[in-house]
Amino acid sequence: MKFLSAFFFVSLLANSILALDVPFLSGRVMDETGVLSAESKLSIENKLKEHEKATSNQVVVLIIPSLEGEVLEEYSLKVATTWKLGQKKKDNGVLLLIAKEDRKLRIEVGYGLEGSLTDALCSRIIRKEITPSFKQGNFSIGVEQGVDAILGVIGGTYTAPVDGSKEEFLESYLEFINSLGGADIPWQFRLLFGGVFFVVITPFTLFAAFAPYIGWFIYFFLFPFYGTFPLVALGKQGAFLLPAYAILMFFFKVYVGFTASGKAFAKKYGSNFIPTGGSSGSSRSGSSWSSSSSGGFSGGGGSFGGGGSSGSW
């Protein structure tokens, strides 16, 4: 028991030593990589300063070289809550975090702005306004466009580009796979999660396979489950489970539903997985300005709860 306690203590101590520190909040645009031109940095800084004077919303850009093994979402939330961006009781802070070498970024939104700067809009801003320029190596343009879009959404002047093409859908899905499937999740959690998923999903899958009518509904109903949970359990490899389920299950249902041998097979074995009897469908001190006349800058006391969106390029 003492050994285990010592082990966990040493593990926690090691993690705290190796954890990436939150930098000192020294301004509204903090570029530790030097990718922003002096003109862009000054322009963005002035926009954010004027926006804060007009609305009290605090928007800060942080560009770091690397996450050094930290999970993007966890580090972003740690920075935002440590800095206390936004005003107390308004929680109107926003952090645009960019990890250059990891090619990842996130928009972290305070509680008070989650209603206007939604997760979906943050995702669109990342995909439509920021990452296209990042892919071309134009970080200054990407950050400026991203900041303009964030301020536009908050001010009600931003019009999001329309999503809908097959290419955009595929791009969004691939980003989703990279984001969830590539997350730094301990293998123990993946194993436990996968076991629970397998136990829960199996009876529903068998029911969908053999039930004649409601089974088709359950077949389509299970798509989002096969499209998300395997990514957590298996990583990016889990992305293959959805198309495998969709194709194999479709042909199996056609077999047991429309062929004589299939119907005989379903009659012999399917009753074990379909309930008999009844209908099949039953079953959050008000400081105001954080800027001082001397030009210093600090957080206003706002809170964050994980709202926002992540992306990569």
Side-chain angles (χ1 to χ4, degrees):
M1 191 64 183
K2 289 182 178 179
F3 172 78
L4 289 175
S5 299
F7 174 77
F8 284 120
F9 175 77
V10 171
S11 298
L12 290 174
L13 181 61
N15 287 333
S16 62
I17 293 175
L18 297 175
L20 180 60
D21 291 334
V22 174
F24 175 74
L25 179 59
S26 58
R28 295 176 181 82
V29 181
M30 297 175 58
D31 179 11
E32 299 183 350
T33 64
V35 295
L36 296 181
S37 66
E39 294 80 7
S40 291
K41 185 176 180 180
L42 180 61
S43 172
I44 298 168
E45 181 88 35
N46 288 335
K47 286 179 185 177
L48 299 180
K49 185 177 181 180
E50 292 302 316
H51 180 79
E52 185 176 339
K53 285 182 178 178
T55 66
S56 83
N57 298 326
Q58 279 192 318
V59 182
V60 172
V61 176
L62 171 63
I63 307 176
I64 59 176
S66 168
L67 290 166
E68 298 183 12
E70 295 265 7
V71 177
L72 173 65
E73 290 76 12
E74 294 179 1
Y75 184 69
S76 177
L77 185 59
K78 184 168 71 171
V79 173
T81 54
T82 300
W83 285 351
K84 299 184 183 301
L85 299 179
Q87 312 306 321
K88 193 169 185 178
K89 295 185 178 179
K90 289 186 176 181
D91 302 321
N92 51 349
V94 177
L95 171 68
L96 171 56
L97 171 65
I98 300 162
K100 183 173 178 289
E101 294 175 9
D102 299 291
R103 303 175 71 87
K104 294 180 178 179
L105 72 162
R106 178 171 175 80
I107 299 175
E108 196 73 43
V109 183
Y111 283 122
L113 293 176
E114 287 184 354
S116 56
L117 193 56
T118 63
D119 295 356
L121 280 172
C122 288
S123 177
R124 288 189 181 184
I125 291 172
I126 290 173
R127 291 186 289 107
K128 298 296 182 181
E129 310 292 350
I130 303 179
T131 56
S133 296
F134 280 12
K135 291 175 181 176
Q136 299 176 359
N138 297 322
F139 288 90
S140 292
I141 295 176
V143 174
E144 282 200 69
Q145 291 181 163
V147 167
D148 288 343
I150 290 171
L151 301 185
V153 168
I154 298 173
T157 60
Y158 176 74
T159 302
V162 178
D163 281 337
S165 68
K166 293 180 180 178
E167 291 77 12
E168 288 176 333
F169 175 78
L170 181 59
E171 180 184 350
S172 299
Y173 185 59
L174 290 177
E175 287 186 1
F176 173 74
I177 291 174
N178 288 329
S179 175
L180 186 58
D184 186 15
I185 302 175
W187 69 267
Q188 298 92 336
F189 179 82
R190 290 186 186 275
L191 183 63
L192 177 62
F193 189 90
V196 173
F197 172 74
F198 179 78
V199 169
V200 173
I201 204 71
T202 298
F204 287 96
T205 302
L206 291 170
F207 180 83
F210 289 103
Y213 300 109
I214 190 67
W216 281 102
F217 171 77
I218 300 299
Y219 164 65
F220 290 108
F221 179 77
L222 294 181
F223 272 43
F225 295 91
Y226 276 98
T228 53
F229 293 111
L231 291 173
V232 178
L234 302 174
K236 293 181 181 179
Q237 291 79 3
F240 293 101
L241 209 55
L242 175 58
Y245 163 77
I247 296 172
L248 294 177
M249 179 65 82
F250 176 80
F251 284 109
F252 183 80
K253 287 192 66 62
V254 169
Y255 170 68
V256 300
F258 299 97
T259 66
S261 61
K263 290 178 179 178
F265 180 83
K267 185 177 181 180
K268 184 176 181 180
Y269 300 103
S271 58
N272 297 323
F273 311 111
I274 303 176
T276 57
S279 64
S280 54
S282 64
S283 17
R284 160 176 23 170
S285 69
S287 66
S288 53
W289 305 116
S290 59
S291 308
S292 67
S293 57
S294 61
F297 182 67
S298 65
S303 301
F304 290 76
S309 184
S310 306
S312 59
W313 74 94

